[in-house]
Amino acid sequence: MSIKAINQAFKSNLSGNIKLVLLALADCADESMQCFPSYSHIAKKASISISTTKRIIKKLEEMQVLKKQNRFIKGKKQQTSNIYTLTFGGSTLT
């Protein structure tokens, strides 16, 4: 858990489910602002559906609040959880 990430998420001017997803990611983040929770884990933390979670993560990417990197199991084409890097999009969130 990154206290810095959680504080930045709370200070953002986002609201509703968008802020809940950001807080869920911040709660999972390490000190380098990275985390790799599954969509179901994020959805459960934010008390929303998985489809809503995916939609919000895409929106947060578009807002440049986070960067998403797909991960795959070594030697297989099977995808595992994504890596998220929280960037908070500069001054647009506060």
PDB file of all heavy atoms in Angstrom, residues 1 6 16 34 39 41 45-46 52 55-56 60 81 90:
ATOM      1  N   MET A   1       0.851  -1.180   0.000  1.00  0.00           N
ATOM      2  CA  MET A   1       0.000   0.000   0.000  1.00  0.00           C
ATOM      3  C   MET A   1       0.892   1.236   0.000  1.00  0.00           C
ATOM      4  O   MET A   1       1.835   1.337   0.771  1.00  0.00           O
ATOM      5  CB  MET A   1      -0.896  -0.011   1.223  1.00  0.00           C
ATOM      6  CG  MET A   1      -1.602   1.280   1.457  1.00  0.00           C
ATOM      7  SD  MET A   1      -2.745   1.387   2.846  1.00  0.00           S
ATOM      8  CE  MET A   1      -2.023   0.430   4.111  1.00  0.00           C
ATOM      9  N   ILE A   6      -2.512   6.829  -2.202  1.00  0.00           N
ATOM     10  CA  ILE A   6      -3.843   6.986  -1.604  1.00  0.00           C
ATOM     11  C   ILE A   6      -4.146   8.471  -1.356  1.00  0.00           C
ATOM     12  O   ILE A   6      -5.242   8.951  -1.659  1.00  0.00           O
ATOM     13  CB  ILE A   6      -3.970   6.159  -0.314  1.00  0.00           C
ATOM     14  CG1 ILE A   6      -3.951   4.663  -0.655  1.00  0.00           C
ATOM     15  CG2 ILE A   6      -5.237   6.519   0.460  1.00  0.00           C
ATOM     16  CD1 ILE A   6      -3.851   3.752   0.538  1.00  0.00           C
ATOM     17  N   GLY A  16     -17.374   9.724  -7.530  1.00  0.00           N
ATOM     18  CA  GLY A  16     -18.113   8.492  -7.764  1.00  0.00           C
ATOM     19  C   GLY A  16     -17.244   7.274  -7.981  1.00  0.00           C
ATOM     20  O   GLY A  16     -16.201   7.104  -7.343  1.00  0.00           O
ATOM     21  N   GLN A  34       3.133   1.272  -8.680  1.00  0.00           N
ATOM     22  CA  GLN A  34       2.711   0.181  -9.545  1.00  0.00           C
ATOM     23  C   GLN A  34       1.936  -0.859  -8.754  1.00  0.00           C
ATOM     24  O   GLN A  34       2.184  -1.074  -7.568  1.00  0.00           O
ATOM     25  CB  GLN A  34       3.902  -0.498 -10.210  1.00  0.00           C
ATOM     26  CG  GLN A  34       4.574   0.358 -11.256  1.00  0.00           C
ATOM     27  CD  GLN A  34       5.586  -0.422 -12.042  1.00  0.00           C
ATOM     28  OE1 GLN A  34       6.249  -1.304 -11.513  1.00  0.00           O
ATOM     29  NE2 GLN A  34       5.720  -0.103 -13.324  1.00  0.00           N
ATOM     30  N   TYR A  39      -9.082  -7.528 -12.460  1.00  0.00           N
ATOM     31  CA  TYR A  39     -10.300  -6.731 -12.581  1.00  0.00           C
ATOM     32  C   TYR A  39     -11.294  -7.092 -11.476  1.00  0.00           C
ATOM     33  O   TYR A  39     -11.956  -6.218 -10.914  1.00  0.00           O
ATOM     34  CB  TYR A  39     -10.964  -6.938 -13.940  1.00  0.00           C
ATOM     35  CG  TYR A  39     -10.277  -6.246 -15.087  1.00  0.00           C
ATOM     36  CD1 TYR A  39      -9.850  -6.963 -16.196  1.00  0.00           C
ATOM     37  CD2 TYR A  39     -10.083  -4.870 -15.089  1.00  0.00           C
ATOM     38  CE1 TYR A  39      -9.235  -6.327 -17.267  1.00  0.00           C
ATOM     39  CE2 TYR A  39      -9.471  -4.224 -16.146  1.00  0.00           C
ATOM     40  CZ  TYR A  39      -9.047  -4.957 -17.234  1.00  0.00           C
ATOM     41  OH  TYR A  39      -8.444  -4.325 -18.288  1.00  0.00           O
ATOM     42  N   HIS A  41     -10.661  -8.181  -8.478  1.00  0.00           N
ATOM     43  CA  HIS A  41     -10.201  -7.642  -7.191  1.00  0.00           C
ATOM     44  C   HIS A  41     -10.539  -6.146  -7.091  1.00  0.00           C
ATOM     45  O   HIS A  41     -11.037  -5.682  -6.064  1.00  0.00           O
ATOM     46  CB  HIS A  41      -8.691  -7.865  -7.045  1.00  0.00           C
ATOM     47  CG  HIS A  41      -8.144  -7.426  -5.732  1.00  0.00           C
ATOM     48  ND1 HIS A  41      -8.309  -8.148  -4.573  1.00  0.00           N
ATOM     49  CD2 HIS A  41      -7.439  -6.314  -5.381  1.00  0.00           C
ATOM     50  CE1 HIS A  41      -7.730  -7.513  -3.569  1.00  0.00           C
ATOM     51  NE2 HIS A  41      -7.197  -6.399  -4.034  1.00  0.00           N
ATOM     52  N   LYS A  45     -13.209  -4.366  -4.432  1.00  0.00           N
ATOM     53  CA  LYS A  45     -12.810  -3.266  -3.550  1.00  0.00           C
ATOM     54  C   LYS A  45     -13.692  -2.034  -3.756  1.00  0.00           C
ATOM     55  O   LYS A  45     -14.003  -1.324  -2.813  1.00  0.00           O
ATOM     56  CB  LYS A  45     -11.348  -2.881  -3.796  1.00  0.00           C
ATOM     57  CG  LYS A  45     -10.329  -3.747  -3.109  1.00  0.00           C
ATOM     58  CD  LYS A  45      -8.945  -3.181  -3.386  1.00  0.00           C
ATOM     59  CE  LYS A  45      -7.944  -3.628  -2.401  1.00  0.00           C
ATOM     60  NZ  LYS A  45      -8.005  -3.050  -1.087  1.00  0.00           N
ATOM     61  N   ALA A  46     -14.067  -1.774  -5.007  1.00  0.00           N
ATOM     62  CA  ALA A  46     -14.856  -0.579  -5.331  1.00  0.00           C
ATOM     63  C   ALA A  46     -16.366  -0.829  -5.280  1.00  0.00           C
ATOM     64  O   ALA A  46     -17.149   0.091  -5.490  1.00  0.00           O
ATOM     65  CB  ALA A  46     -14.466  -0.063  -6.715  1.00  0.00           C
ATOM     66  N   THR A  52     -17.974  -2.465 -15.391  1.00  0.00           N
ATOM     67  CA  THR A  52     -17.818  -1.057 -15.010  1.00  0.00           C
ATOM     68  C   THR A  52     -16.361  -0.765 -14.676  1.00  0.00           C
ATOM     69  O   THR A  52     -15.828   0.278 -15.056  1.00  0.00           O
ATOM     70  CB  THR A  52     -18.733  -0.705 -13.818  1.00  0.00           C
ATOM     71  OG1 THR A  52     -20.082  -0.936 -14.197  1.00  0.00           O
ATOM     72  CG2 THR A  52     -18.559   0.741 -13.377  1.00  0.00           C
ATOM     73  N   ARG A  55     -14.413  -0.388 -17.901  1.00  0.00           N
ATOM     74  CA  ARG A  55     -14.760   0.879 -18.542  1.00  0.00           C
ATOM     75  C   ARG A  55     -14.062   2.061 -17.846  1.00  0.00           C
ATOM     76  O   ARG A  55     -13.532   2.964 -18.498  1.00  0.00           O
ATOM     77  CB  ARG A  55     -16.285   1.040 -18.518  1.00  0.00           C
ATOM     78  CG  ARG A  55     -16.840   1.980 -19.510  1.00  0.00           C
ATOM     79  CD  ARG A  55     -18.363   1.931 -19.652  1.00  0.00           C
ATOM     80  NE  ARG A  55     -19.132   1.729 -18.440  1.00  0.00           N
ATOM     81  CZ  ARG A  55     -19.754   0.582 -18.113  1.00  0.00           C
ATOM     82  NH1 ARG A  55     -19.691  -0.468 -18.907  1.00  0.00           N
ATOM     83  NH2 ARG A  55     -20.434   0.487 -16.989  1.00  0.00           N
ATOM     84  N   ILE A  56     -14.030   2.025 -16.526  1.00  0.00           N
ATOM     85  CA  ILE A  56     -13.406   3.114 -15.766  1.00  0.00           C
ATOM     86  C   ILE A  56     -11.895   3.104 -15.939  1.00  0.00           C
ATOM     87  O   ILE A  56     -11.277   4.163 -16.074  1.00  0.00           O
ATOM     88  CB  ILE A  56     -13.815   3.046 -14.282  1.00  0.00           C
ATOM     89  CG1 ILE A  56     -15.292   3.413 -14.144  1.00  0.00           C
ATOM     90  CG2 ILE A  56     -12.945   3.960 -13.423  1.00  0.00           C
ATOM     91  CD1 ILE A  56     -15.870   3.187 -12.770  1.00  0.00           C
ATOM     92  N   LEU A  60      -9.637   6.152 -17.159  1.00  0.00           N
ATOM     93  CA  LEU A  60      -8.484   6.660 -16.413  1.00  0.00           C
ATOM     94  C   LEU A  60      -7.230   6.672 -17.291  1.00  0.00           C
ATOM     95  O   LEU A  60      -6.400   7.579 -17.178  1.00  0.00           O
ATOM     96  CB  LEU A  60      -8.255   5.836 -15.145  1.00  0.00           C
ATOM     97  CG  LEU A  60      -9.274   6.035 -14.025  1.00  0.00           C
ATOM     98  CD1 LEU A  60      -9.088   4.983 -12.934  1.00  0.00           C
ATOM     99  CD2 LEU A  60      -9.185   7.444 -13.445  1.00  0.00           C
ATOM    100  N   SER A  81      -3.010 -10.809 -14.870  1.00  0.00           N
ATOM    101  CA  SER A  81      -3.421  -9.452 -14.509  1.00  0.00           C
ATOM    102  C   SER A  81      -2.495  -8.412 -15.131  1.00  0.00           C
ATOM    103  O   SER A  81      -1.326  -8.677 -15.402  1.00  0.00           O
ATOM    104  CB  SER A  81      -3.449  -9.294 -12.989  1.00  0.00           C
ATOM    105  OG  SER A  81      -2.159  -9.480 -12.450  1.00  0.00           O
ATOM    106  N   GLY A  90      -0.702  14.600 -13.943  1.00  0.00           N
ATOM    107  CA  GLY A  90      -0.241  15.965 -13.685  1.00  0.00           C
ATOM    108  C   GLY A  90      -1.219  16.754 -12.845  1.00  0.00           C
ATOM    109  O   GLY A  90      -1.839  16.237 -11.925  1.00  0.00           O
TER     110      GLY A  90
END
